[in-house]
Amino acid sequence: MLLSNQIEIIIIIPVFVVPNTSITVECCCCIVTFWRVPKCSIYLWNDKQHCPKHDYYLYCMVRMKTPFLLTFYSYFCLFVHFQMNQTDSVTMNSTETSLDENSIYETFLPGINSSSKYMRLIMYIFGYPGNSLALMVWIRRPMLQSSGVYLAALALSDLLFLSLDLPYSLQTEWNVLVLNVPLICEGFTVVYLAAQYMSPFLTLAFTVERYIAIKFPLRRRLYCTVKRALCTSLCTAALALGLCGIQGYFWKYDHDLKECLRREGMDKLWETWTWCTEMIMFLCIPLLILTLNLLVIFEIRKSRRVALNLNRILFKTNATTSMLLAVSFFFILTTLPVSIAYALYDSYPPGDDYTDIANSEQWQNHFRYYRARTVIYNIGLTHFFMNFYIYLLTGERFRREVLNFLGCRSSRRFGTLSKRNETTKMESFYSSDTV
């Protein structure tokens, strides 16, 4: 055991430099060796080495020899995060410059690039209570009809997405590495994308059911049932997981780098598979929903001319249909533009010249595209938390059930008002699950 001696600390530091800002040190490896010559020196040199996060990096070697009191000796790993002004990181090399796009956005579009963070905070604030209340109301006995099953499943999938989006946001936007864990690395993408795919599947399901109820009223009792709606919801969940299951193979946890990375050689397959599934879920299915909604509106207008004696029942049914149409149209308006914006990425690629980004016309066109895409994307996030508020605006009975659930209206009074408003025992030939 050495009580007192001179030691030499050699620190190998990848250094990332941001133009016009201070140096940011992200990590380093420290090797401790014993030495007897008191000396302190700093060496800087360029070395073209591969880095898992960046293409190239600088080595900063700090060699310090000072008296030190030791009771043991070992190898140490020292992690340093030092910065003066900003935490943006850009890779630099003496012969070429390769910049990380996220760092460029932070430098040239700081407000736009940060807007997603605040949009997600708004989504969590309104989404958790709204979707929780919607789920509680739709599973109650008066509302648990076939349409209510789909809307309850939609609220549950949105809650699942919000719960998974929080660690995703921490990992990608706040640099809190919560997903770099074995098993979570491979499984997170599967569940996270499946939760997103549930929204178009369920919206399509209750749109098809509404079309069947209006177009084929005699078959309504056969197809528009709670049991069938529950079975369909479970099948859509299984289908979403099946489409995303391969994502678990694309990603793996690297025990050496302690990071979640895509498998080598899988970039092309991952890009193709993800692109195809995203276009199906957020472009093709919304267009199909739009077509069915237009058919539903056409059938309602057509049926109104032959149902003059059922005005009150028709009005109640139209209130239900209007609410479902509002939900599906809102989904279309918030997802289609996002898909189109991402499809236009190749038309506005980032520039190749990293030396004069501010004066590059290609970079400026890309920044304008990125600014518009970010705004569209933030608007697209609203369909994960706005459904509850659409129900409140368009569903009269839903509003009453929310008040009844919160204890603001007595069940006895609600039942009396419901009976008083009944004008006939005849069921609507549109749907028996009027909400």
Side-chain angles (χ1 to χ4, degrees), residues 198 201 230-241:
M198 284 293 292
F201 275 142
L230 182 60
C231 181
T232 302
S233 299
L234 294 175
C235 289
T236 57
L239 180 59
L241 287 172

Side-chain angles (χ1 to χ4, degrees), residues 4 13 16 24 32 48 51 56 58 61 96 112 123 175 185 203 238 269 282 286 289 319 356 358 378 386 409 416 433:
S4 179
I13 309 176
F16 307 99
T24 297
V32 178
K48 189 175 180 180
C51 180
Y56 304 103
L58 289 172
M61 180 175 175
E96 66 174 305
I112 291 296
M123 181 174 65
N175 294 324
C185 168
T203 305
L269 179 59
F282 299 111
I289 294 172
D356 192 15
N378 290 337
M386 281 296 295
R409 184 191 298 267
T416 303
D433 56 344

Side-chain angles (χ1 to χ4, degrees), residues 101 105 275 340-350 366 369 373:
E101 285 186 19
Y105 297 145
W275 177 261
I340 295 172
Y342 275 88
L344 293 175
Y345 179 84
D346 290 337
S347 300
Y348 303 93
H366 178 73
Y369 159 78
R373 192 188 74 175

